[in-house]
Amino acid sequence: LFHESDYLRFVQLMCNKGEGLLDYGDTPAFKGCYEAAAYCVGSTLKAVDVVLSGQVDHSFNPVGGFHHARRSAAAGFCIFNDAGVAIEYLLRVKGISPVAYVDMDAHHGDGVCYEFYDNKELIFMDIHQDGRSLYPGSGFAYETGEGEAVGTKLNIPLPAGSGDPEFKKAFEMALRFLNQFSPRFILFQCGADGLEGDPLTGLRYSEEAHRFAATLLHETSHRLCEGRLVALGGGGYSPDRTARAWLQVTRALLRAP
């Protein structure tokens, strides 16, 4: 649904080989990498399906959120873009449109942003560390979509050192943007690498940022799209702090709206 067939065959080939790189240097091949990455995609699709079927109101796949992979390439530790697959699944298979994608990972979700840059059915909001100081070097405020999709993409870069106050202000801006549309499903990439002390980034969030975002997005999902909300993991390289942040997401989804 999302990745090109030549790329899928390339990953299978490299998986069987069990060594080498899938991109320019960040994403290594290893025995079982194809199956492992496909499992993450399948988990996200399962999360979407159990919400669509009404089995649960919301779901959370912590082993999802691989938002850098492009249709034809791996990137930034991401082999397959489960969020991209889920968006195509919702739009093309289930006929659900528009879909909203909200991303709070410290790194810009370039694999989602640019692969749907001209698609007006994907409402995209991303709060991240400024691309001038962090991989992948993208996600600037002037990038708002193209063609019929101009105005459906919102990028909010924050300077290194930004903490909870700056994030909350940005997230409230993202919600005002979202309220202009009528999404029928919300995907929430809640990467935890923006937490203070993460070894790969320069943001200074506490777990309160995740509680705040998940709580407001939970309430918004019930107001706009019958509660249809799936959370995905993402980055987070301080394991204990990441676990505490994602516990806050889980608690928010379990509360009554």
Side-chain angles (χ1 to χ4, degrees):
L1 290 170
F2 179 83
H3 290 289
E4 295 178 5
S5 58
D6 285 348
Y7 173 62
L8 297 178
R9 285 191 289 269
F10 169 71
V11 176
Q12 287 177 311
L13 176 66
M14 295 299 290
C15 174
N16 292 332
K17 184 179 178 182
E19 60 183 7
L21 293 168
L22 296 171
D23 60 4
Y24 41 79
D26 284 340
T27 313
F30 54 89
K31 289 288 186 181
C33 66
Y34 181 93
E35 291 80 8
Y39 190 89
C40 294
V41 174
S43 298
T44 291
L45 292 177
K46 178 69 172 180
V48 169
D49 274 338
V50 295
V51 169
L52 287 177
S53 69
Q55 295 178 56
V56 296
D57 291 330
H58 324 290
S59 57
F60 180 22
N61 176 23
V63 297
F66 292 93
H67 59 174
H68 294 307
R70 308 299 282 263
R71 293 184 188 270
S72 61
F77 314 149
C78 303
I79 297 175
F80 298 145
N81 191 324
D82 60 294
V85 177
I87 291 165
E88 293 284 18
Y89 178 69
L90 286 162
L91 295 177
R92 293 167 50 191
V93 177
K94 294 299 183 179
I96 293 174
S97 174
V99 172
Y101 174 85
V102 184
D103 192 322
M104 65 174 292
D105 194 288
H107 302 87
H108 179 235
D110 56 326
V112 177
C113 182
Y114 301 125
E115 298 296 359
F116 292 93
Y117 202 57
D118 62 352
N119 189 330
K120 66 180 181 181
E121 295 182 284
L122 191 275
I123 313 305
F124 176 91
M125 292 141 284
D126 196 310
I127 302 166
H128 50 274
Q129 186 174 327
D130 194 318
R132 290 170 294 186
S133 62
L134 191 69
Y135 175 91
S138 58
F140 299 102
Y142 60 79
E143 297 180 292
T144 63
E146 64 182 12
E148 291 185 341
V150 169
T152 63
K153 313 296 184 271
L154 177 67
N155 286 290
I156 307 178
L158 299 178
S162 296
D164 290 357
E166 293 83 3
F167 173 80
K168 288 181 176 181
K169 182 178 179 181
F171 198 81
E172 288 170 345
M173 183 187 305
L175 283 185
R176 289 194 295 272
F177 178 81
L178 180 58
N179 284 330
Q180 300 175 58
F181 305 92
S182 299
R184 296 183 60 202
F185 202 102
I186 298 174
L187 294 170
F188 174 36
Q189 204 271 21
C190 54
D193 48 10
L195 295 169
E196 185 172 11
D198 189 280
L200 296 189
T201 76
L203 297 176
R204 301 182 61 188
Y205 302 161
S206 73
E207 298 88 53
E208 165 63 15
H210 286 74
R211 186 206 65 78
F212 179 83
T215 298
L216 290 186
L217 208 55
H218 178 216
E219 294 170 353
T220 299
S221 74
H222 281 282
R223 181 166 47 81
L224 296 181
C225 55
E226 301 175 351
R228 294 193 289 195
L229 169 64
V230 168
L232 307 173
Y237 307 96
S238 176
D240 289 344
R241 298 210 66 184
T242 297
R244 290 195 292 271
W246 287 349
L247 177 60
Q248 294 301 322
V249 173
T250 305
R251 283 174 169 163
L253 298 184
L254 287 171
R255 291 192 180 98

